[in-house]
Amino acid sequence: MHTVLIVLDAVFQDLRYALRALRRSPGFAAAAILSLALGIGANTAIFSLIDAAILKSLPVPHPEELLQVMMGTQSYVGYTNPTWEHLRDRQDVFSGIFAYGRWGFNLASGGEARPVNGVYASGQYFDTLGVHAVLGRTLEPADDTRGCAGSAVLSYGFWQREYGGRAGVLGKTISIDRHPIRIVGVTEPGFTGTEVGAAADVMAPLCAVTLIGSGYPRMLDTNFYPVGWLQVIGRLKSGVPASQATPRLKALAPQIYQATLDDSGLTREDGRQLGPQDRDRYLQRTFDTYPAANGISWLRREYGQALMVLMTMVGVVLLIACANVANLLLARGASRQREIAIRMAVGGGRGRLMRQLLTESLLLSGIGAALGVLFAEWGARLLARFLDASLDLALDLRVLAFTASVAILTGLLFGIAPAWRGTRVDPQSAMKAHARGAIEGTKLGLGQVLVMAQIALSLLLVVGAGLMLSTFWKLISLDAGFESGHVLLVTADLSSGHYPRERWSAVYREMLDQLRAIPGVRSASVSYITPVCHCR
């Protein structure tokens, strides 16, 4: 205990001396801290995005037991409800299994739409995940029965934003696509669904899609081909290893797909029946499982590689900042030769002086990291808005540990060389009034090496940025094969307007006729998928 106190006292002495030394050189301190704050902040911002989108586990008990069940390797292929029901009833791998589908809900009773992210979830959704309610209850299997009146569970954040956290919200109704749905509960804080980047505000039972999802009265019974709209996640039974899940589900695949074909057939959204070849391809489908501890994320698929490239680039920026600060420390060390020589002359050992100089470096990086966290908060949220993603970017222990590790590593990286160089001083020569060449060295000085490293790393960044700008310019100037100027793109969602599905074609024709009649409109058309264009 006595030894620990001695060590702590020495550390506090070093910190006090380092603070006094930095106060005597405010210009140097400001330049070094600002360089480090930008470098460490950029790294923390990108790591925060990577952590939220890729690394962070779902806030549920034992997330490592969760597996996503997909149709082979085709992650973009969703389940239809008939396929999901047969899989749910026949599987023997999971202790709990659920299906869900993302959906846009309109909370406005009339007038301008108020869109929020919604989820249709099967009755086992919350039980399987192990998510509880802080108010009321969550959805139960009894809520998900055909012909249900619907019920709604709110996320904690949405409850706070929309209702101010009032407990009286239970039993009241919320208007979803102009249908009054009774609120039965609020989830615990932190849980916003299983899709990373698309936080769910309102969760309704799967059976309510025929009531709320206007225009889709047969959504639960129709077996659409080639894609569905549901994702499936299960929790492994105790004693069933993850390696056995896929083989056991593959063995069930033929009978499940044959059963759905016998019960529902195959149709497209327009109701057209498919031919024998389509049925054969459908029957060849299988099942695969993938870890779902980190949730399901379109961000990983779309931006995972780009985030890693950005992480590499900001890492290079931090290396440049380290080289810059190391050069500043070398220059400052040259002006402190006499001080260091005096301290060595009165008995200060080289190791003790190196520890003091490294303390100053670590103090610089620590202050830079503290300012960098503020920059990272702003930068990470800006990037999340750019990606149009809803992410939990609150600082947690993992992000803070990353920032602290980067700060320590950075302090050592730019501090060791100047500290070693600064203590290689001859006390007798340094204390002479007109001493020259007091520090031992070689022809190629350390400062020159650091300057060359800065130039090389900067050139690397400039070349990379130039290639990215060149690619971006080619993309925006690409000849798409059609005239993209003077085009106004309008999205119309007829399901929110409660138009019967059989009237949609007529309504679209009426809209086109009215648009074509507007003065100045040369032509108008409607499409399901809009071609790539620079439309407004």
Side-chain angles (χ1 to χ4, degrees):
M1 184 66 181
H2 180 66
T3 305
V4 174
L5 291 176
I6 292 175
V7 171
L8 289 176
D9 183 61
V11 170
F12 287 135
Q13 287 182 13
D14 288 344
L15 284 173
R16 285 196 298 268
Y17 184 83
L19 282 171
R20 289 198 300 269
L22 293 180
R23 280 202 301 267
R24 290 196 297 267
S25 304
F28 158 78
I33 289 172
L34 183 59
S35 297
L36 293 170
L38 292 175
I40 296 175
N43 277 267
T44 302
I46 302 303
F47 179 80
S48 296
L49 283 176
I50 293 175
D51 179 56
I54 300 175
L55 302 178
K56 189 176 292 184
S57 297
L58 291 175
V60 301
H62 303 291
E64 70 281 356
E65 297 176 354
L66 299 176
L67 292 179
Q68 182 185 7
V69 184
M70 298 193 299
M71 296 183 183
T73 58
Q74 299 176 339
S75 59
Y76 59 88
V77 176
Y79 287 82
T80 60
N81 191 66
T83 307
W84 144 245
E85 289 182 343
H86 278 282
L87 173 62
R88 175 197 63 196
D89 297 339
R90 295 169 186 255
Q91 66 85 25
D92 59 353
V93 174
F94 303 107
S95 59
I97 188 171
F98 65 86
Y100 75 93
R102 288 173 52 195
W103 207 274
F105 291 159
N106 177 18
L107 301 187
S109 300
E112 184 178 354
R114 290 181 56 209
V116 298
N117 291 329
V119 161
Y120 287 115
S122 64
Q124 304 90 344
Y125 183 79
F126 291 100
D127 288 345
T128 301
L129 291 172
V131 174
H132 304 288
V134 294
L135 184 68
R137 63 175 180 84
T138 57
L139 297 179
E140 300 172 350
D143 294 312
D144 185 24
T145 56
R146 296 294 179 95
C148 66
S151 51
V153 174
L154 311 181
S155 71
Y156 185 87
F158 181 78
W159 175 54
Q160 293 289 329
R161 291 193 310 269
E162 292 291 319
Y163 297 95
R166 294 189 298 272
V169 71
L170 288 181
K172 293 186 176 180
T173 60
I174 182 173
S175 176
I176 301 180
D177 291 352
R178 299 186 183 181
H179 292 280
I181 304 297
R182 188 168 62 93
I183 299 172
V184 298
V186 177
T187 64
E188 50 195 6
F191 180 77
T192 56
T194 58
E195 294 234 359
V196 179
D201 296 315
V202 181
M203 287 147 274
L206 199 58
C207 59
V209 69
T210 56
L211 171 69
I212 301 173
S214 304
Y216 299 95
R218 298 186 61 242
M219 181 68 83
L220 298 180
D221 301 314
T222 306
N223 203 16
F224 293 126
Y225 182 85
V227 296
W229 63 292
L230 297 173
Q231 301 294 331
V232 174
I233 294 178
R235 184 180 291 275
L236 284 169
K237 285 183 177 179
S238 178
V240 177
S243 58
Q244 291 185 13
T246 296
R248 289 167 67 168
L249 289 174
K250 283 181 181 293
L252 291 174
Q255 54 181 293
I256 289 177
Y257 290 120
Q258 184 62 57
T260 58
L261 190 62
D262 294 340
D263 292 348
S264 308
L266 286 177
T267 64
R268 296 191 185 275
E269 285 190 284
D270 57 8
R272 183 163 52 90
Q273 294 291 324
L274 301 182
Q277 291 183 344
D278 294 316
R279 288 195 292 271
D280 291 341
R281 282 194 292 268
Y282 177 77
L283 292 175
Q284 290 172 6
R285 287 182 171 180
T286 183
F287 294 118
D288 269 311
T289 59
Y290 295 87
N294 305 107
I296 299 173
S297 175
W298 58 271
L299 282 173
R300 295 190 203 115
R301 182 176 66 252
E302 298 292 334
Y303 299 110
Q305 187 175 4
L307 287 174
M308 294 303 175
V309 171
L310 273 178
M311 193 73 202
T312 303
M313 293 179 68
V314 296
V316 174
V317 170
L318 183 57
L319 288 177
I320 294 173
C322 288
N324 183 43
V325 175
N327 264 327
L328 291 174
L329 287 173
L330 284 175
R332 187 166 179 263
S335 66
R336 298 177 69 185
Q337 291 177 26
R338 191 174 181 83
E339 172 198 339
I340 293 173
I342 292 173
R343 297 183 68 186
M344 293 181 70
V346 297
R350 179 166 292 177
R352 178 70 178 81
L353 291 173
M354 283 191 67
R355 191 184 75 189
Q356 175 61 59
L357 294 175
L358 281 176
T359 300
E360 293 182 22
S361 300
L362 290 171
L363 181 61
L364 282 172
S365 64
I367 298 173
L371 293 178
V373 167
L374 300 178
F375 170 76
E377 280 273 317
W378 170 81
R381 296 187 188 281
L382 180 65
L383 287 172
R385 284 197 297 269
F386 176 76
L387 298 177
D388 192 24
S390 175
L391 293 171
D392 179 13
L393 296 173
L395 292 177
D396 57 14
L397 289 178
R398 182 156 42 196
V399 176
L400 291 176
F402 171 83
T403 305
S405 301
V406 170
I408 294 171
L409 181 61
T410 300
L412 295 175
L413 188 61
F414 71 75
I416 285 178
W420 173 79
R421 181 74 168 157
T423 55
R424 294 183 65 203
V425 63
D426 180 5
Q428 292 182 355
S429 301
M431 285 189 292
K432 291 179 181 178
H434 302 288
R436 297 184 61 185
I439 296 181
E440 303 170 12
T442 58
K443 270 188 178 181
L444 185 61
L446 182 58
Q448 293 170 300
V449 172
L450 290 172
V451 169
M452 291 183 345
Q454 277 184 279
I455 294 173
L457 292 172
S458 299
L459 282 175
L460 178 65
L461 278 183
V462 169
V463 170
L467 290 173
M468 290 181 66
L469 286 174
S470 175
T471 302
F472 179 71
W473 176 254
K474 287 180 180 178
L475 287 174
I476 64 175
S477 60
L478 178 69
D479 183 8
F482 57 88
E483 182 183 351
S484 59
H486 306 288
V487 175
L488 178 65
L489 180 63
V490 178
T491 301
D493 183 7
L494 297 185
S495 62
S496 298
H498 297 275
Y499 291 94
R501 189 169 179 79
E502 57 272 13
R503 285 203 60 228
W504 282 14
S505 296
V507 172
Y508 280 124
R509 285 195 297 270
E510 292 174 13
M511 292 172 61
L512 280 177
D513 292 338
Q514 294 185 28
L515 288 172
R516 289 165 179 162
I518 297 175
V521 174
R522 291 169 49 191
S523 62
S525 63
V526 63
S527 66
Y528 183 72
I529 299 177
T530 304
V532 177
C533 67
H534 310 308
C535 306
R536 295 187 295 110

